[in-house]
Amino acid sequence: LSICSKLCYAIGGAPNQVATSAAAFFLQIYLLDIAHITPFHASLVLFIGKASGAFTDPVAGFFISKSRWTRIGRLMPWMLACTPFTVVSYFFMWYLPPFVSGRAAWYVAFNCLFQALTTLFQVPYSALTMFLSTDQKDRDSATAYRMTMEVLGTLIGAALQGQIVASAHVSHHCTVNPPVNTTDSWHDTTSIPDPSDILSHQVIYMIAAGVIGGVYLLGIVILFLGVKEKDDPYALSSDRAIPFCKGLGLTMKHGPYVKLTASFLLISTAVQLEQSNFVLFCTQASGLRNHFQYLVVTILVSAAVSVPFWQKILQRFGKKCAACGISWMIPFAVMLVTIPNLILAYLVAFVSGLSIAASLLLPWSMLPDVVDNFRLQNPHGKGQETIFYSSYVFFTKISAGIGLGISAAGLEFTGYKPGICRQSDDVILTLKILIGAVPGILIFMGLFILFFYPITEQSRKETKLALEELR
């Protein structure tokens, strides 16, 4: 693969990360503090949106596996067709409707539509890795390019959104350091803006959504012009496509795939919880209200620059060994919730970025190895790539949706009130648990399962030689 092809492939996936990053960091606080819906309704928006995206995955996998080859490929038409609708749904997901009583339903509808459309893009895009080259090194290199650009996309999304909308979350009614003798009246001092402020905040969020929509259109143009999809380079002319339901059953029985998916659905849930609650923690529980956008940028810059480092680590020491780096964020996150200090917060942000980069790179680098292993055990079937990728995304989205829904419901249960200067001690404790304890437990469980993942560097080489002999 040429560097140009790998770069164009990587750029094509970045807009999806730009949009999902902005939503991951800011959608929950937008729903609570700008749209002023209850934490319970916010939890429904987050969970139902993730669930709709998750259930779209196997449906997308089914229809894509049935697609016929066209002049521009089998996967490319799906990505081209869904992008304009994705931009529109994303724009309206940040729109503040003039009515109040049905706002939760509005955000549920457009979040579900956005999540479903991003799935229709993500499934063929991620499966496209298998149709770029038959060489493992080429695929690993393309995946590293992709992850670097996706982390940069995550950085761009959070930075754009953070810098544009920061003024909507900086309250001039609240002191940074509250008085020692805090009274209930200070606790309940509201920072809900007047109607003119609400209108200005709406305009700010719409501007951010419009900018990110433009990034989507640029990315799909570069992907279409710079990447050539190859017609199933693995299949013999005598091979027959595996029926979707049969392929799904075989996939769920494939040991390496089950262990990989179980491990990273726990790890990805931990990362999603960290992302979704980090801004709330900074603004409500740690006195870092005026620094949250810079902390988010620090996390993502650290993640972006460390992807090549992790690529070297996994080449030198193996992919299972590199996975240990995901656990680095745990002790620092615990320190942040126990000692909320500004310097420590930036250190935590930097280390969290390193761990997030590893958690993003590794599963997408390991999935092609699982597909190769499956192909070796089922040498005369084809069309299983989209099944593997769609079901993997399905499980990780479902787990993340459940985690985000439970975290928002926890804020509702402990009495989160939008717009007040200082939340109750129960809410602050809940945010600390969601930032420190819960992600740590999930990451440890995920790494424990990954310990039993059977594909090693030696078995990868053996699989490569065996597939070359079959071809």
Side-chain angles (χ1 to χ4, degrees):
L1 283 176
S2 67
I3 292 177
C4 180
S5 294
K6 289 186 281 190
L7 195 58
C8 290
Y9 170 66
I11 291 172
N16 232 12
Q17 300 306 312
V18 172
T20 53
S21 168
F25 279 106
F26 292 96
L27 183 57
Q28 181 165 267
I29 195 171
Y30 168 81
L31 295 173
L32 294 173
D33 287 0
I34 305 299
H36 294 295
I37 67 175
T38 66
F40 174 72
H41 287 138
S43 71
L44 290 180
V45 173
L46 296 172
F47 172 70
I48 296 174
K50 285 288 184 183
S52 69
F55 283 106
T56 308
D57 282 298
V59 176
F62 173 78
F63 284 108
I64 292 170
S65 67
K66 298 290 184 182
S67 300
R68 294 185 177 182
W69 181 262
T70 68
R71 286 191 302 171
I72 59 173
R74 186 164 61 95
L75 304 175
M76 191 68 73
W78 287 88
M79 293 179 274
L80 288 173
C82 70
T83 298
F85 300 101
T86 305
V87 173
V88 173
S89 64
Y90 180 80
F91 185 79
F92 282 106
M93 192 172 72
W94 300 97
Y95 176 71
L96 190 66
F99 49 84
V100 176
S101 59
R103 278 184 184 174
W106 172 279
Y107 291 115
V108 166
F110 279 102
N111 191 27
C112 286
L113 184 59
F114 172 71
Q115 296 290 344
L117 288 168
T118 54
T119 294
L120 288 176
F121 180 92
Q122 191 66 27
V123 170
Y125 174 75
S126 54
L128 186 60
T129 309
M130 302 300 297
F131 298 94
L132 298 176
S133 173
T134 59
D135 186 79
Q136 289 179 353
K137 289 184 178 179
D138 269 348
R139 292 199 311 250
D140 285 349
S141 178
T143 301
Y145 272 78
R146 172 192 160 193
M147 286 300 108
T148 301
M149 291 305 301
E150 288 194 356
V151 174
L152 283 173
T154 305
L155 167 63
I156 292 169
L160 275 176
Q161 191 87 355
Q163 295 301 318
I164 294 173
V165 309
S167 61
H169 299 288
V170 175
S171 172
H172 301 292
H173 303 284
C174 304
T175 57
V176 176
N177 297 310
V180 176
N181 297 321
T182 302
T183 63
D184 290 337
S185 62
W186 191 88
H187 264 277
D188 294 333
T189 301
T190 182
S191 62
I192 296 176
D194 59 35
S196 63
D197 285 341
I198 292 176
L199 180 62
S200 66
H201 294 167
Q202 176 188 351
V203 171
I204 288 171
Y205 269 95
M206 298 300 286
I207 291 172
V211 171
I212 291 175
V215 173
Y216 251 111
L217 298 176
L218 178 63
I220 192 64
V221 169
I222 292 173
L223 178 67
F224 174 71
L225 296 178
V227 175
K228 181 175 175 58
E229 180 183 345
K230 298 178 181 178
D231 188 9
D232 199 345
Y234 303 93
L236 301 172
S237 58
S238 60
D239 289 348
R240 294 290 179 267
I242 300 176
F244 182 83
C245 292
K246 179 182 177 182
L248 188 60
L250 292 172
T251 299
M252 295 300 104
K253 296 176 183 177
H254 191 59
Y257 180 71
V258 171
K259 292 181 176 65
L260 180 70
T261 303
S263 171
F264 277 98
L265 70 83
L266 292 171
I267 292 170
S268 65
T269 301
V271 172
Q272 287 273 349
L273 283 172
E274 196 87 19
Q275 282 183 319
S276 181
N277 292 287
F278 186 78
V279 175
L280 273 177
F281 174 79
C282 290
T283 58
Q284 304 290 351
S286 63
L288 301 171
R289 180 182 295 270
N290 295 326
H291 296 273
F292 73 86
Q293 66 267 39
Y294 306 113
L295 290 168
V296 169
V297 170
T298 302
I299 291 174
L300 298 172
V301 168
S302 170
V305 300
S306 63
V307 169
F309 162 76
W310 287 116
Q311 178 68 10
K312 293 292 184 183
I313 291 292
L314 65 86
Q315 288 177 345
R316 179 77 179 273
F317 300 102
K319 298 177 182 180
K320 286 178 68 173
C321 180
C324 296
I326 300 171
S327 64
W328 291 356
M329 75 162 78
I330 299 173
F332 291 93
V334 172
M335 289 170 62
L336 178 63
V337 300
T338 53
I339 314 170
N341 176 274
L342 180 59
I343 296 175
L344 181 60
Y346 278 99
L347 180 61
V348 171
F350 175 77
V351 177
S352 295
L354 297 178
S355 298
I356 289 171
S359 70
L360 290 173
L361 174 64
L362 285 167
W364 297 112
S365 181
M366 297 165 87
L367 260 177
D369 301 335
V370 173
V371 176
D372 276 351
N373 183 271
F374 180 86
R375 167 62 70 131
L376 191 60
Q377 297 180 19
N378 302 271
H380 297 295
K382 65 179 181 179
Q384 75 283 352
E385 295 84 6
T386 53
I387 299 174
F388 274 98
Y389 281 88
S390 62
S391 55
Y392 172 78
V393 179
F394 167 79
F395 287 119
T396 53
K397 282 185 178 178
I398 279 289
S399 63
I402 292 172
L404 293 176
I406 291 174
S407 73
L411 294 175
E412 166 83 13
F413 179 75
T414 52
Y416 181 91
K417 296 179 181 179
I420 67 172
C421 292
R422 181 179 171 84
Q423 300 293 335
S424 67
D425 291 340
D426 290 339
V427 173
I428 292 174
L429 177 61
T430 301
L431 287 171
K432 289 181 177 180
I433 292 172
L434 291 173
I435 286 290
V438 176
I441 293 170
L442 292 175
I443 288 173
F444 274 127
M445 291 171 61
L447 291 176
F448 178 76
I449 295 173
L450 194 64
F451 179 78
F452 299 98
Y453 175 70
I455 297 179
T456 63
E457 296 306 301
Q458 181 61 32
S459 67
R460 284 180 68 217
K461 294 177 182 178
E462 293 170 356
T463 300
K464 177 184 177 182
L465 291 173
L467 286 176
E468 286 177 352
E469 184 176 348
L470 282 174
R471 292 182 190 116

